[in-house]
């Protein structure tokens, strides 16, 4: 069965410091992995995806994610955090051979000035 | 700037009343999803359609929920009768997929309908 885990409910980081939001997955077949961000009272916004190819995927707003097959991880990263990055971040994995995504429980990122 | 639209944005109703939520997917997208978000359960998939045909509604309470796509520009989610436990934010998302396992694109989410059932 497919699943995705976000082990941290909240991540706190100072502005200007690098940030990492963790995600691990379990899938059948090749993993199709996604990161979304949700700002207060808004829908989810797509950040980036891994389908195949380079293990380092670059996305919107300076975010990137590293696919690690041996560790079954897809951590979200940014070299220098901004206060405006504070939001709820969701990792998702595609259910094999369907259009469905399974979302993690979300990680709240707080960037302090 | 293409985006998914949802109406109403907010709905307060009393237990037992019918609630209808509407979604206009991005033009050209062939897949529509309905999600429910609550603090306790997180983000749950209720149902989804491809080319207006329902493919999976296993996440939806069948006795009171129904989802339809009357045409390619409108998806509806109906609750009848509504209950306080239905209080949540309901999101619609759309995407473009071919159905082939090797092809998959991201979903685009609407702003949501915040439903409160008293």
């Amino acid at each position: 069965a497919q699943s995705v885990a976000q082990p941290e409910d909240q991540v706190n980081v100072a502005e200007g410091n690098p940030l990492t939001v963790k995600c691990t997955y379990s899938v059948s077949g090749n993993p199709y992995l996604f990161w979304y961000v949700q700002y207060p009272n808004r829908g989810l916004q797509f950040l980036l995806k891994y389908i195949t190819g380079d293990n380092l995927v670059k996305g919107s707003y300076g975010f990137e994610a590293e696919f690690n097959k041996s560790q079954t991880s897809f951590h979200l990263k940014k070299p220098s955090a901004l206060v405006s990055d504070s939001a709820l971040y969701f990792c998702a994995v595609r259910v094999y051979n369907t259009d469905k995504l399974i979302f993690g429980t979300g990680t709240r990122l707080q960037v302090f000035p | 700037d293409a985006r998914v639209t949802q109406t109403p944005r907010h709905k307060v109703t009393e237990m037992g009343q019918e609630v209808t939520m509407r979604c206009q997917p991005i033009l050209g997208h062939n897949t529509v999803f309905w999600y429910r978000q609550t603090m306790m359960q997180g983000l749950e998939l209720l149902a989804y359609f491809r080319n207006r045909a329902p493919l999976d509604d296993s996440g939806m309470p069948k006795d009171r929920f129904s989802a339809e796509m009357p045409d390619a520009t409108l998806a509806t989610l109906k609750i009848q009768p509504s209950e306080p436990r239905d209080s949540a934010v309901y999101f619609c998302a759309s995407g473009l997929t071919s159905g082939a396992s090797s092809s998959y694109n991201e979903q685009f989410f609407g702003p949501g309908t915040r439903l409160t059932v008293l």
Side-chain angles (χ1 to χ4, degrees), chain A residues 32 34 36 38 41-46 49 51 88 90 94 96-101 103-105 108, chain B residues 9 31 33 35 37 43 45 48 50 55-56 91 97 100-107 109-111 114:
Chain A
Y32 290 6
F34 301 79
Y36 285 81
Q38 185 178 29
N41 301 313
R42 303 280 294 275
L44 278 68
Q45 294 179 35
F46 168 76
K49 65 183 177 184
I51 304 295
L88 189 57
F90 290 93
R94 178 195 177 194
Y96 179 69
N97 220 24
T98 76
D99 300 319
K100 299 194 293 186
L101 293 179
F103 286 85
T105 51
R108 187 164 301 281
Chain B
R9 292 294 313 277
T31 315
F33 305 81
Y35 291 91
Q37 186 178 36
L43 200 62
L45 177 67
Y48 83 99
R50 188 197 300 151
L55 286 191
D56 189 334
F91 289 105
T97 64
S101 61
S102 60
S103 170
Y104 192 82
N105 295 305
E106 59 272 21
Q107 298 176 20
F109 281 73
R114 183 175 295 275

Side-chain angles (χ1 to χ4, degrees), chain A residues 49-58 65-68 74:
Chain A
K49 65 183 177 184
Y50 173 83
I51 304 295
T52 186
D54 197 348
N55 289 346
L56 187 63
V57 179
K58 293 190 183 298
E66 186 170 10
F67 171 67
N68 188 317
F74 189 56

Side-chain angles (χ1 to χ4, degrees), chain B residues 65-85:
Chain B
F65 284 59
S66 62
E68 296 179 346
M69 279 203 74
D71 60 62
T73 65
L74 177 65
T76 62
L77 180 66
K78 189 174 296 186
I79 308 174
Q80 168 64 14
S82 58
E83 297 181 1
R85 60 180 166 151

Side-chain angles (χ1 to χ4, degrees), chain A residues 16-83:
Chain A
N17 282 1
L19 69 87
T20 299
V21 182
K22 295 179 181 177
C23 172
T24 58
Y25 65 89
S26 173
V27 298
S28 302
N30 294 323
Y32 290 6
L33 299 158
F34 301 79
W35 275 103
Y36 285 81
V37 60
Q38 185 178 29
Y39 297 100
N41 301 313
R42 303 280 294 275
L44 278 68
Q45 294 179 35
F46 168 76
L47 278 180
L48 52 80
K49 65 183 177 184
Y50 173 83
I51 304 295
T52 186
D54 197 348
N55 289 346
L56 187 63
V57 179
K58 293 190 183 298
S60 306
Y61 313 122
F63 284 92
E64 57 190 28
E66 186 170 10
F67 171 67
N68 188 317
K69 188 173 183 178
S70 63
Q71 297 186 6
T72 61
S73 67
F74 189 56
H75 300 333
L76 182 70
K77 300 182 179 186
K78 188 173 183 181
S80 178
L82 300 173
V83 173

